[in-house]
Amino acid sequence: AQTVTQSQPEMSVQEAETVTLSCTYDTSESDYYLFWYKQPPSRQMILVIRQEAYKQQNATENRFSVNFQKAAKSFSLKISDSQLGDAAMYFCAYRSNSGGGADGLTFGKGTHLIIQP
Amino acid sequence: NAGVTQTPKFRVLKTGQSMTLLCAQDMNHEYMYWYRQDPGMGLRLIHYSVGEGTTAKGEVPDGYNVSRLKKQNFLLGLESAAPSQTSVYFCASSYRRLAGGKQFFGPGTRLTVL
């Protein structure tokens, strides 16, 4: 079974600065996807960014980018120019692609990101 | 286009009572999922369905049953609720062929079992 580990229960950053959230995962598979989800106090799960394991290029979405190290099984999220609206729980998630795309997501325990004004 | 909706949003049960949570999606997605989220934890998969009339167990299926009689609906049932089932329940859905399998989540149902 796959596991996802987020070692930082809480992170704090000044507004406009850059912060990196860590995620490591354990799998014996080679074909999978990795995700970062944001969960604000409203509880809604919002997809931030997605990475396909067979793509070496790191995914980017505006101020959000990832550092995907497949050999090290590491998938960190970098948030540039942090904004107050970025404050939320962030979850790293893994999905195998071996089940024809039907597999559910395996989540880490989350990192609570605080933005200091 | 409402996306993924969940009914109810909140519910309080007594131990031993039963209830059904309804998930509906209007995006014609083939796959649907039920997760639970406990304090300090990420979401964990309870059951999922790859199509109408089919269901499968996830990571934490005990104490729950599911049914998918219509493509757009996925029901989660608790036959005899226990305090350990106090949690926030999320439904999600996705396309079968969408690369990356992005899952669309509902707003969640907060369930308290006394």
Side-chain angles (χ1 to χ4, degrees), chain A residues 1 27 29 38 42-43 48 54 65-66 68-69 85-86 88 93 102-105 112:
Chain A
T27 184
E29 299 176 332
K38 171 185 178 182
S42 66
R43 286 203 313 248
V48 175
Y54 60 85
S65 62
V66 298
F68 173 49
Q69 301 289 328
D86 295 333
D103 291 46
L105 296 165
H112 182 209

Side-chain angles (χ1 to χ4, degrees), chain A residues 37-97:
Chain A
Y37 277 87
K38 171 185 178 182
Q39 186 180 44
S42 66
R43 286 203 313 248
Q44 183 67 48
M45 295 294 288
I46 302 165
L47 179 64
V48 175
I49 199 164
R50 177 178 64 199
Q51 176 77 42
E52 299 167 69
Y54 60 85
K55 286 189 176 180
Q56 292 187 341
Q57 186 174 5
N58 289 325
T60 61
E61 289 286 344
N62 301 313
R63 297 183 295 107
F64 299 87
S65 62
V66 298
N67 184 4
F68 173 49
Q69 301 289 328
K70 190 172 184 179
K73 297 180 182 174
S74 170
F75 183 61
S76 60
L77 174 69
K78 185 172 81 171
I79 306 174
S80 303
D81 185 26
S82 298
Q83 300 176 359
L84 294 177
D86 295 333
M89 285 292 293
Y90 285 81
F91 292 97
C92 179
Y94 169 103
R95 188 182 71 76
S96 168
N97 203 31

